[in-house]
Amino acid sequence: MRRAFAALATALGTLSLLLTLTTGPSLATPPNIPSASTAASRLASLTVAAESHQSTYNRDLFPHWITVSGACNTREQVLKRDGSGVVTDSSCASVSGSWYSPYDGATWHAASDVDIDHMVPLAEAWRSGAWAWTTAQRQAYANDLGGPELWAVTDNVNQAKGDQDPTTWKPSLTSFWCTYARAWIQVKWYYGLTLQSGEKSALTTMLGYC
């Protein structure tokens, strides 16, 4: 985890560049998703351990969405980043545009139909080691624009996923399993989180779709 948070200052230092990118062409996916081979190597390096502290989880321990630029908070920034033809009003709310949800292949034309999913859910992160972090570290995690943690997806799909890991929930589009596994592994590796043996097996299977 020291590696992850030593790099946090650098990541935050590049935030202004990431925000600038939102005014240009839409990004197809969040940044810094590793190759399949790199993801496999990082998966092998992760610590396998039982989850803990489930009973003490509270979503409020991960402050979000925070203001990141002007009137724009993290959710609004992801909508601008990952949408197509997004138009916002003076309060940074998206009033038009379209959003493709890679989990289920649906395209939406109202921001209200889109949730911002935490690739590794907040509760899952808590059970995997974030219980020991400071509130500032959990805030940085919950609002991370520098890695593949935040995804614009269909709202009810995100709600169905809840706090599940790949052992019990996977995107309905098997064509996305490779990217999903690579992103999940990157988040756990970057933040020094643990994983369970069943989770590791499920991710290995999903990498087989790459």
Side-chain angles (χ1 to χ4, degrees):
M1 191 165 71
R2 288 194 301 270
R3 177 190 65 242
F5 291 110
L8 182 59
T10 299
L12 293 176
T14 62
L15 181 59
S16 60
L17 174 59
L18 291 171
L19 297 178
T20 300
L21 289 174
T22 64
T23 62
S26 298
L27 302 179
T29 56
N32 294 321
I33 300 173
S35 67
S37 60
T38 297
S41 176
R42 290 176 178 173
L43 177 61
S45 74
L46 291 175
T47 299
V48 176
E51 294 179 341
S52 64
H53 293 77
Q54 292 95 322
S55 65
T56 57
Y57 170 71
N58 186 318
R59 191 172 177 84
D60 292 340
L61 295 169
F62 292 81
H64 67 288
W65 305 111
I66 62 170
T67 300
V68 293
S69 176
C72 301
N73 65 27
T74 313
R75 169 184 161 81
E76 292 158 345
Q77 204 64 49
V78 175
L79 289 172
K80 289 169 62 180
R81 182 192 71 185
D82 294 348
S84 177
V86 177
V87 176
T88 59
D89 63 18
S90 59
S91 64
C92 202
S94 297
V95 295
S96 64
S98 64
W99 292 268
Y100 172 78
S101 170
Y103 291 4
D104 59 339
T107 297
W108 301 98
H109 298 279
S112 58
D113 291 321
V114 179
D115 276 359
I116 306 305
D117 177 50
H118 289 93
M119 170 59 63
V120 176
L122 304 182
E124 167 68 18
W126 177 268
R127 299 188 296 258
S128 303
W131 59 267
W133 297 353
T134 65
T135 299
Q137 289 168 336
R138 288 191 290 268
Q139 176 175 294
Y141 177 87
N143 298 276
D144 185 3
L145 291 166
E149 168 66 347
L150 301 176
W151 295 74
V153 302
T154 302
D155 54 2
N156 61 354
V157 172
N158 179 50
Q159 291 153 23
K161 173 185 173 181
D163 65 353
Q164 299 178 81
D165 69 31
T167 308
T168 54
W169 190 91
K170 300 177 181 66
S172 59
L173 289 183
T174 56
S175 59
F176 188 66
W177 283 11
C178 170
T179 301
Y180 191 89
R182 289 157 49 210
W184 183 284
I185 292 164
Q186 173 64 17
V187 172
K188 285 231 161 172
W189 174 83
Y190 185 82
Y191 284 97
L193 297 170
T194 62
L195 80 170
Q196 297 175 286
S197 58
E199 178 186 350
K200 184 173 184 177
S201 295
L203 289 165
T204 300
T205 297
M206 295 173 80
L207 285 178
Y209 283 74
C210 294

